[in-house]
């Protein structure tokens, strides 16, 4: 898993694909596929899957999640104390806008839209009011799930509480997306699985 098909030609798994590339056979198979009409027996391409709310999870969300990984790597996310509570993986709204405009070279309006999209997608929330819209201010926001259990056998499950399949799969999805984002190549085509193995998040 995953199994790779070029039209109705079954390639196999990831290592089979790499073997074809190393042996020099991959380019000829690609040329053959390009010049041959798609047969009816070929598997249909996967479509975007709806999430549990029935919304389409598309490329925009993936790009936003990769921005959050960059924020963490570049030290924009940190722990902030508000009264007696410490919020991990949090940031001031104005700091996110400053980072998006200086590091990602977005215009001010595009930076505001991107930050707003992070809130709309549920990736980022206000620390005390989940309904609070994003603001370019000293308001404190955090990455949604920063206070989730870091392991599936921690927190509620450790005390024999029930955790729904939706919650578990959502936790897993967030962990796997974060890991992939931290170890994806600059061009976005390959993931360094050896690097993932040594990552503390893994």
């Amino acid at each position: 898993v995953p199994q790779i098909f070029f039209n109705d030609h079954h390639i196999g798994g990831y290592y089979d694909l790499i073997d074809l590339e190393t042996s020099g056979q991959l380019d000829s198979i690609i040329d053959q596929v390009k010049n041959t009409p798609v047969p009816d027996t070929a598997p249909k391409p996967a479509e975007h899957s709806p999430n549990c709310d029935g919304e389409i999870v598309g490329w925009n969300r993936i790009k936003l999640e990769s921005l959050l990984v960059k924020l963490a790597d570049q030290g924009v996310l940190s722990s902030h104390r508000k009264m007696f509570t410490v919020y991990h993986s949090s940031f001031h709204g104005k700091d996110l806008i400053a980072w998006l405009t200086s590091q990602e070279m977005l215009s001010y309006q595009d930076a505001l839209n991107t930050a707003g999209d992070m809130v709309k997608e549920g990736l980022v929330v206000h620390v005390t009011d989940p309904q609070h819209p994003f603001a370019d201010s000293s308001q404190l926001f955090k990455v949604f799930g920063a206070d989730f259990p870091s392991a599936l056998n921690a927190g509620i499950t450790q005390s024999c509480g029930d955790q729904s399949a939706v919650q578990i799969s959502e936790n897993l999805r967030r962990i796997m997306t974060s890991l992939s984002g931290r170890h994806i190549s600059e061009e976005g085509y390959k993931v360094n699985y050896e690097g993932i193995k040594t990552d503390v998040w893994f």
Side-chain angles (χ1 to χ4, degrees), residues 145-157:
D147 47 0
F148 281 3
S150 57
L152 295 177
N153 61 349
I156 187 171
T157 52

Side-chain angles (χ1 to χ4, degrees), residues 184-196:
I184 200 163
S185 60
E186 286 187 14
E187 69 278 3
Y189 295 135
K190 294 183 179 178
V191 174
N192 176 7
Y193 293 102
E194 292 303 316
I196 286 180

Side-chain angles (χ1 to χ4, degrees), residues 15-29:
Y15 292 110
D16 298 307
L17 185 68
I18 294 303
D19 288 343
L20 285 172
E21 183 183 25
T22 352
S23 66
Q25 299 174 54
L26 186 58
D27 287 338
S28 64
I29 294 174

Side-chain angles (χ1 to χ4, degrees), residues 114-185:
T114 300
D117 287 343
M118 286 179 173
V119 172
K120 285 177 194 166
E121 287 286 343
L123 300 173
V124 164
V125 291
H126 189 272
V127 293
T128 57
D129 178 10
Q131 303 305 316
H132 197 292
F134 181 81
D136 177 15
S137 67
S138 296
Q139 293 280 338
L140 200 56
F141 293 83
K142 67 175 182 176
V143 176
F144 178 70
D147 47 0
F148 281 3
S150 57
L152 295 177
N153 61 349
I156 187 171
T157 52
Q158 190 179 39
S159 56
C160 300
D162 289 333
Q163 197 173 15
S164 73
V166 171
Q167 289 172 314
I168 292 172
S169 61
E170 179 63 12
N171 286 350
L172 276 171
R173 187 192 66 75
R174 288 180 186 281
I175 292 168
M176 292 186 313
T177 301
S178 298
L179 272 171
S180 298
R182 289 167 68 86
H183 295 279
I184 200 163
S185 60

Side-chain angles (χ1 to χ4, degrees), residues 6-80:
F6 287 177
N7 290 339
D8 58 351
H9 184 129
H10 179 231
I11 299 297
Y14 169 76
Y15 292 110
D16 298 307
L17 185 68
I18 294 303
D19 288 343
L20 285 172
E21 183 183 25
T22 352
S23 66
Q25 299 174 54
L26 186 58
D27 287 338
S28 64
I29 294 174
I30 290 173
D31 288 338
Q32 181 185 357
V33 168
K34 282 182 178 176
N35 298 318
T36 307
V38 179
D40 295 334
T41 53
K44 301 292 180 239
E47 296 178 358
H48 287 307
S49 301
N51 65 14
C52 57
D53 298 321
E55 297 169 352
I56 298 301
V57 179
W59 283 110
N60 191 46
R61 185 183 176 97
I62 294 169
K63 287 177 183 173
L64 292 173
E65 287 179 338
S66 68
L67 279 178
L68 288 178
V69 172
K70 284 187 186 178
L71 282 169
D73 288 343
Q74 295 183 22
V76 180
L77 303 180
S78 59
S79 296
H80 292 85

